Amino acid sequence: MLSPILETPRLILRPPSVDDLEPWRAMMGDAEANRFLGGPKPRPVAWRSLATHCGAWTLQGFGNFSIIEKASGLWVGRAGPWQPEGWPGREIGWSLARASWGKGYATEAARACLDWTFDRLGWRKVVRIIDPANTASIAVATRLGSTRIGPGSLPAPFEPDGVDVYGQSLARRT
């Protein structure tokens, strides 16, 4: 399978690679950037996370994209389809390095991923799994056309984490 490359006016989205390890590690090590994702992680955990996201492309033919800012060439985060075993549904999620917050990149990247999953993967609906206190991600999900379905649960080892599930169908594409 050829690796897809998505482009938006300001971003390039491509499958992650080992070259992304340092900015990926920095984002995962940032306590504020990971406040709703289980807190900061050490380098070995960041490496395993990157390997997991790379492996999803091989196992499922889709996964999170690395988000690259066109103007600078900098890695700014990750976004894309995600459905690990036991997950509450086919998700399109995102996580951005703190220096890239407030620029609309999460919405821009997630919208491109949403279009790609509906058009290329044939998905008809997606979910977003969001910590109820994560108002920034809730705002992005709402801008994209998602509505809150209700509380949800995650598979081990995340099952104690309280999450809300937001849903969106192809018909509510914005």
Side-chain angles (χ1 to χ4, degrees), residues 19-68:
D19 294 336
D20 300 330
L21 179 58
E22 283 311 312
W24 192 291
R25 183 216 48 81
M27 181 184 72
M28 288 192 70
D30 182 326
E32 185 61 21
N34 277 280
R35 180 167 48 140
F36 301 113
L37 298 172
K41 309 289 187 294
R43 182 183 179 89
V45 173
W47 186 92
R48 287 192 297 274
S49 171
L50 175 61
T52 297
H53 284 276
C54 289
W57 281 97
T58 299
L59 294 173
Q60 297 175 298
F62 62 85
N64 272 210
F65 292 89
S66 281
I67 306 168
I68 309 301

Side-chain angles (χ1 to χ4, degrees), residues 3-16 20 57 64-80 96 105 108-110 112-113:
S3 297
I5 306 252
L6 310 181
E7 287 196 46
T8 71
R10 302 179 299 159
L11 305 171
I12 295 171
L13 288 81
R14 60 159 174 76
D20 300 330
W57 281 97
N64 272 210
F65 292 89
S66 281
I67 306 168
I68 309 301
E69 184 182 56
K70 280 184 180 179
S72 67
L74 293 176
W75 186 95
V76 299
R78 62 176 174 79
L96 273 70
Y105 288 168
E108 189 173 328
C113 293

Side-chain angles (χ1 to χ4, degrees), residues 48-141:
R48 287 192 297 274
S49 171
L50 175 61
T52 297
H53 284 276
C54 289
W57 281 97
T58 299
L59 294 173
Q60 297 175 298
F62 62 85
N64 272 210
F65 292 89
S66 281
I67 306 168
I68 309 301
E69 184 182 56
K70 280 184 180 179
S72 67
L74 293 176
W75 186 95
V76 299
R78 62 176 174 79
W82 181 240
Q83 190 182 18
E85 182 70 27
W87 215 244
R90 293 174 167 171
E91 181 179 19
I92 293 183
W94 52 83
S95 183
L96 273 70
R98 194 166 14 148
S100 299
W101 291 1
K103 297 179 180 182
Y105 288 168
T107 302
E108 189 173 328
R111 184 169 284 121
C113 293
L114 185 64
D115 289 344
W116 185 76
T117 57
F118 285 156
D119 296 341
R120 297 298 179 115
L121 298 180
W123 293 7
R124 296 289 177 240
K125 63 181 181 174
V126 297
V127 297
R128 287 118 179 23
I129 310 303
I130 304 175
D131 184 299
N134 189 343
T135 57
S137 280
I138 292 168
V140 170

